[in-house]
Amino acid sequence: LPSDQELGQTAFYQEYVNVFNQKPSDFEIQAYETGKILRRVLDKGSSSRQGLAQDLRNVYNFPGVIGNISVNANREFVRPVV
């Protein structure tokens, strides 16, 4: 995970502070990452719910704001905790 200083240097963090004049919480960071994952999956061009669901299950090492994100066997988003 990035340090506070490293997080403060990310484009997301800087833009968020610039727009809202406050630091983003974990909730805002997770919402942003979820939106980016959905956009990437939709850009792949799935034309059905099943295709979209399969593409979401295949998310692996997606570069999130505070670390890479993957989907586990239980269809949960996970990231390294170290």
Side-chain angles (χ1 to χ4, degrees), residues 2-75:
S3 66
D4 287 343
Q5 183 178 7
E6 291 169 327
L7 177 61
Q9 294 173 357
T10 64
F12 165 75
Y13 185 93
Q14 292 175 3
E15 182 68 18
Y16 189 93
V17 171
N18 188 36
V19 170
F20 297 105
N21 202 30
Q22 63 184 18
K23 297 177 183 178
S25 70
D26 290 343
F27 180 76
E28 283 90 14
I29 293 170
Q30 289 175 348
Y32 173 78
E33 291 175 329
T34 301
K36 294 224 8 146
I37 289 169
L38 285 172
R39 180 167 186 152
R40 180 168 152 191
V41 168
L42 290 170
D43 285 346
K44 284 186 169 187
S46 293
S47 60
S48 67
R49 291 186 313 171
Q50 293 83 7
L52 179 63
Q54 183 62 43
D55 287 344
L56 283 170
R57 282 191 290 271
N58 290 331
V59 170
Y60 182 75
N61 280 337
F62 180 86
V65 174
I66 57 174
N68 289 342
I69 302 167
S70 297
V71 174
N72 68 15
N74 294 322
R75 296 180 291 199

